[in-house]
Amino acid sequence: MIGMRAIFAIGLFAMISISLCLTEVKGEENSSVALQERFHSVVGEWLTLFQVNLEWFATTIVGFMKNAVKTIYFAVGLAGFVMWASGFSRYTGKRLIIGAVAMAIVSEILL
Protein backbone atom coordinates (compact mmCIF):
# COMPACT_ATOMS: atom_id res chain seq x y z
CA MET A 1 0.00 0.00 0.00
CA ILE A 2 1.49 3.27 -1.12
CA GLY A 3 1.36 5.98 1.49
CA MET A 4 0.32 9.55 0.94
CA ARG A 5 3.93 10.77 1.16
CA ALA A 6 5.00 8.43 -1.65
CA ILE A 7 2.12 9.57 -3.85
CA PHE A 8 2.98 13.20 -3.09
CA ALA A 9 6.66 12.58 -3.91
CA ILE A 10 5.79 10.92 -7.23
CA GLY A 11 3.44 13.74 -8.15
CA LEU A 12 6.02 16.35 -7.19
CA PHE A 13 8.65 14.58 -9.28
CA ALA A 14 6.32 14.52 -12.29
CA MET A 15 5.44 18.20 -11.92
CA ILE A 16 9.10 19.24 -11.60
CA SER A 17 10.08 17.13 -14.61
CA ILE A 18 7.30 18.57 -16.75
CA SER A 19 8.10 22.14 -15.69
CA LEU A 20 11.79 21.62 -16.51
CA CYS A 21 10.79 20.31 -19.91
CA LEU A 22 8.47 23.25 -20.55
CA THR A 23 11.18 25.80 -19.84
CA GLU A 24 13.40 24.26 -22.50
CA VAL A 25 10.78 24.02 -25.29
CA LYS A 26 9.46 27.58 -25.46
CA GLY A 27 9.47 28.97 -28.98
CA GLU A 28 10.08 25.70 -30.81
CA GLU A 29 7.89 24.83 -33.79
CA ASN A 30 6.98 21.26 -32.92
CA SER A 31 6.64 21.77 -29.20
CA SER A 32 4.74 18.56 -28.32
CA VAL A 33 7.43 16.31 -29.78
CA ALA A 34 10.18 18.42 -28.27
CA LEU A 35 8.38 18.41 -24.92
CA GLN A 36 8.08 14.64 -25.01
CA GLU A 37 11.73 14.18 -25.95
CA ARG A 38 12.85 16.59 -23.25
CA PHE A 39 10.66 14.83 -20.68
CA HIS A 40 12.13 11.46 -21.65
CA SER A 41 15.66 12.81 -21.36
CA VAL A 42 14.99 14.38 -17.93
CA VAL A 43 13.38 11.20 -16.59
CA GLY A 44 16.19 9.13 -18.11
CA GLU A 45 18.80 11.30 -16.40
CA TRP A 46 17.00 10.97 -13.05
CA LEU A 47 16.78 7.19 -13.42
CA THR A 48 20.46 6.97 -14.36
CA LEU A 49 21.39 9.06 -11.34
CA PHE A 50 19.22 6.85 -9.11
CA GLN A 51 20.81 3.70 -10.55
CA VAL A 52 24.35 4.99 -9.98
CA ASN A 53 23.55 5.93 -6.39
CA LEU A 54 21.85 2.60 -5.75
CA GLU A 55 24.88 0.70 -7.10
CA TRP A 56 27.21 2.77 -4.90
CA PHE A 57 25.00 2.15 -1.86
CA ALA A 58 24.87 -1.60 -2.52
CA THR A 59 28.65 -1.77 -2.93
CA THR A 60 29.14 0.17 0.30
CA ILE A 61 26.75 -2.08 2.25
CA VAL A 62 28.41 -5.26 0.93
CA GLY A 63 31.85 -3.92 1.90
CA PHE A 64 30.59 -3.04 5.36
CA MET A 65 29.00 -6.48 5.76
CA LYS A 66 32.25 -8.19 4.74
CA ASN A 67 34.22 -6.28 7.37
CA ALA A 68 31.56 -6.79 10.06
CA VAL A 69 31.31 -10.54 9.46
CA LYS A 70 35.11 -10.90 9.41
CA THR A 71 35.32 -9.11 12.74
CA ILE A 72 32.57 -11.25 14.24
CA TYR A 73 33.94 -14.62 13.16
CA PHE A 74 37.44 -13.60 14.27
CA ALA A 75 36.16 -12.64 17.73
CA VAL A 76 34.09 -15.83 18.03
CA GLY A 77 37.03 -17.97 16.92
CA LEU A 78 39.40 -16.22 19.31
CA ALA A 79 36.98 -16.63 22.23
CA GLY A 80 36.54 -20.29 21.34
CA PHE A 81 40.27 -20.87 21.13
CA VAL A 82 40.87 -19.21 24.50
CA MET A 83 38.09 -21.25 26.12
CA TRP A 84 39.34 -24.48 24.56
CA ALA A 85 43.06 -23.88 25.20
CA SER A 86 42.59 -22.74 28.79
CA GLY A 87 40.39 -25.69 29.65
CA PHE A 88 37.69 -23.36 30.98
CA SER A 89 35.06 -24.94 28.77
CA ARG A 90 36.54 -27.26 26.17
CA TYR A 91 33.22 -28.33 24.64
CA THR A 92 31.88 -24.78 24.27
CA GLY A 93 35.24 -23.54 22.98
CA LYS A 94 35.32 -26.30 20.37
CA ARG A 95 31.78 -25.43 19.26
CA LEU A 96 32.71 -21.74 18.99
CA ILE A 97 35.74 -22.57 16.86
CA ILE A 98 33.66 -24.78 14.56
CA GLY A 99 31.02 -22.03 14.33
CA ALA A 100 33.66 -19.42 13.48
CA VAL A 101 35.11 -21.62 10.75
CA ALA A 102 31.62 -22.22 9.34
CA MET A 103 30.88 -18.48 9.40
CA ALA A 104 34.20 -17.77 7.66
CA ILE A 105 33.53 -20.29 4.90
CA VAL A 106 29.96 -19.13 4.30
CA SER A 107 30.81 -15.41 4.40
CA GLU A 108 33.80 -15.75 2.09
CA ILE A 109 31.77 -17.75 -0.43
CA LEU A 110 28.60 -15.62 -0.32
CA LEU A 111 30.15 -12.19 0.04
Side-chain angles (χ1 to χ4, degrees):
M1 187 167 146
I2 298 177
M4 290 302 290
R5 288 184 182 177
I7 293 172
F8 177 74
I10 291 170
L12 184 63
F13 170 73
M15 288 179 5
I16 289 172
S17 297
I18 290 173
S19 67
L20 285 174
C21 295
L22 286 174
T23 59
E24 294 293 323
V25 231
K26 289 181 182 175
E28 293 186 13
E29 296 170 4
N30 197 354
S31 64
S32 65
V33 173
L35 175 65
Q36 183 179 10
E37 289 175 1
R38 181 67 181 148
F39 180 74
H40 285 217
S41 69
V42 168
V43 171
E45 290 171 6
W46 279 67
L47 290 176
T48 303
L49 181 66
F50 180 73
Q51 180 183 4
V52 166
N53 286 329
L54 190 61
E55 288 173 358
W56 169 82
F57 184 70
T59 304
T60 304
I61 292 297
V62 168
F64 173 75
M65 291 295 292
K66 283 181 182 180
N67 290 334
V69 169
K70 284 181 181 180
T71 303
I72 290 171
Y73 74 68
F74 177 76
V76 169
L78 184 63
F81 178 76
V82 168
M83 290 175 76
W84 174 78
S86 68
F88 179 70
S89 180
R90 289 191 177 272
Y91 181 70
T92 304
K94 182 179 173 182
R95 286 179 51 193
L96 285 175
I97 293 171
I98 292 171
V101 169
M103 282 175 29
I105 290 171
V106 168
S107 71
E108 296 299 326
I109 289 173
L110 293 179
L111 299 176

